[in-house]
Amino acid sequence: MLAMTVSGGSLTAAQVPEPAPGPDEVLIEVAAAGVNRADLLQVAGHYPPPQGAPAWPGLEVSGTIVDVGSADNATLLGAEVCALLPGGGYAQYVAVDAGLVLPTPENVDLVEAAGLPEAAATVYSNLGYLLGQDAPGKRRVLVHGGAGGVGTFAVQFARKLADAETWTTARAEHAKKLEALGADRVVDYRSEDFAALAQEAGGADAILDVIGAAYFEPNLKALAQDGRLAIIGLQQGNAAQIHLGGLLAKRATITGTTLRARPLEQRRQILAEVFERVWPALDTGDVKPVVTTRLPLGDAAEAHRLMNAGGHFGKIVLTAK
């Protein structure tokens, strides 16, 4: 089969053996693969795949189940699905644990479904505690990088599922599109001080951050009392100093997470909860994947160039056909 392999820090199309599903796995004929910033890091040699995963990138796909590793999963044959992967999505076929597979939502195109698993699982695993939480007054959530694949999903999640006042940082030209997704306030990070604005408004109860070190201190300033900062990316640095006095005074909670390094059972549990608590909103169309660019699998390098250049809105997916 064709896969986009990594050679010398670049992507190269190559023929590789088609995978065979293990006892707990299914084989998916890939319709599309979502492109994530972690893929760029892997190609650059900074984010190696976990043991046992294919050597080429791809953390999420959509497609059709064409084989199963055991009779226990025989009922899944022919199902149109999307899946969360430890790697290997940039290919025509991929084998994945059946517990990491979800049905394509009713109101979502099969190709666009490739942009769902990584964003949905990342957002839910960091902001899912807000769902059904009986909190007095309106909570405020600040999503950094609102125009990105995770950001566009997080804005919808915070506003439409958690019923939170939703702020996001993004370029001014993306403001109207983010407001259409549910953002109450779009802060232009190039000309506005999000920390000062959040402080004036009473602070953010939850912050989802993809930036890392450059935003660490302003994030602490932006937090409300008992606020929670979830760091899920390091786009602008991985080393920061912390003022412990400010942390104590705000009773703040800081977490740092990645997804694919979690044990398999944790990833299965996250996907099961995503299916129960998030998928109904995708079925009804209240929440939607925001896929704005489709490129052929062979143009994966161009997809990476677009993402690396910045300023792109929504998800980029690679189509296998």
Side-chain angles (χ1 to χ4, degrees):
M1 68 171 184
L2 177 70
M4 298 304 297
T5 59
V6 179
S7 176
S10 61
L11 287 162
T12 304
Q15 290 294 321
V16 300
E18 182 180 312
D24 296 323
E25 294 181 329
V26 298
L27 183 70
I28 297 174
E29 183 179 5
V30 175
V35 177
N36 291 278
R37 199 160 288 275
D39 301 337
L40 278 66
L41 292 174
Q42 181 172 331
V43 172
H46 303 312
Y47 193 39
Q51 186 175 2
W56 48 91
L59 299 179
E60 56 187 348
V61 297
S62 61
T64 304
I65 295 177
V66 293
D67 196 8
V68 295
S70 72
D72 292 342
N73 292 319
T75 57
L76 297 176
L77 280 169
E80 291 188 342
V81 298
C82 54
L84 183 71
L85 311 173
Y90 288 17
Q92 292 177 307
Y93 294 90
V94 65
V96 59
D97 185 90
L100 302 180
V101 173
L102 293 174
T104 301
E106 294 177 10
N107 279 288
V108 176
D109 168 88
L110 180 60
V111 168
E112 291 190 345
L116 283 173
E118 179 74 15
T122 296
V123 172
Y124 178 82
S125 61
N126 286 280
L127 298 180
Y129 70 92
L130 295 170
L131 299 183
Q133 190 181 74
D134 186 17
K138 192 82 167 182
R139 295 159 300 181
R140 182 176 295 112
V141 174
L142 171 59
V143 176
H144 287 305
V150 170
T152 51
F153 194 92
V155 166
Q156 296 179 82
F157 182 97
R159 188 66 186 88
K160 299 175 181 179
L161 295 183
D163 192 28
E165 180 184 323
T166 303
W167 289 33
T168 186
T169 55
R171 300 185 183 198
E173 57 262 35
H174 296 317
K176 291 190 181 300
K177 289 179 284 188
L178 287 165
E179 288 165 359
L181 293 177
D184 295 291
R185 176 70 185 270
V186 180
V187 179
D188 186 346
Y189 63 88
R190 295 175 300 180
S191 61
E192 296 182 286
D193 184 342
F194 74 83
L197 292 170
Q199 279 183 312
E200 290 171 10
D205 300 291
I207 299 176
L208 189 67
D209 178 51
V210 296
I211 303 300
Y215 274 14
F216 190 74
E217 184 176 347
N219 276 336
L220 292 182
K221 291 179 181 177
L223 278 178
Q225 293 292 121
D226 298 303
R228 296 176 62 163
L229 167 62
I231 301 171
I232 61 170
L234 304 171
Q235 292 181 23
Q236 294 184 27
N238 58 11
Q241 289 186 320
I242 181 171
H243 188 278
L244 294 174
L247 184 71
L248 296 176
K250 287 194 173 181
R251 301 185 297 274
T253 299
I254 302 172
T255 61
T257 65
T258 59
L259 192 57
R260 78 171 178 179
R262 289 175 180 260
L264 176 59
E265 284 301 324
Q266 286 189 19
R267 285 177 282 140
R268 286 173 173 170
Q269 182 63 34
I270 290 169
L271 266 288
E273 293 181 20
V274 165
F275 179 64
E276 177 185 354
R277 307 189 73 184
V278 179
W279 238 238
L282 287 156
D283 284 333
T284 61
D286 291 335
V287 174
K288 302 176 182 179
V290 181
V291 176
T292 55
T293 302
R294 303 185 185 197
L295 292 170
L297 179 62
D299 288 346
E302 172 62 12
H304 283 205
R305 188 197 68 77
L306 285 173
M307 177 169 282
N308 193 51
H312 187 271
F313 189 83
K315 292 284 294 192
I316 302 169
V317 299
L318 300 170
T319 57
K321 293 182 180 179

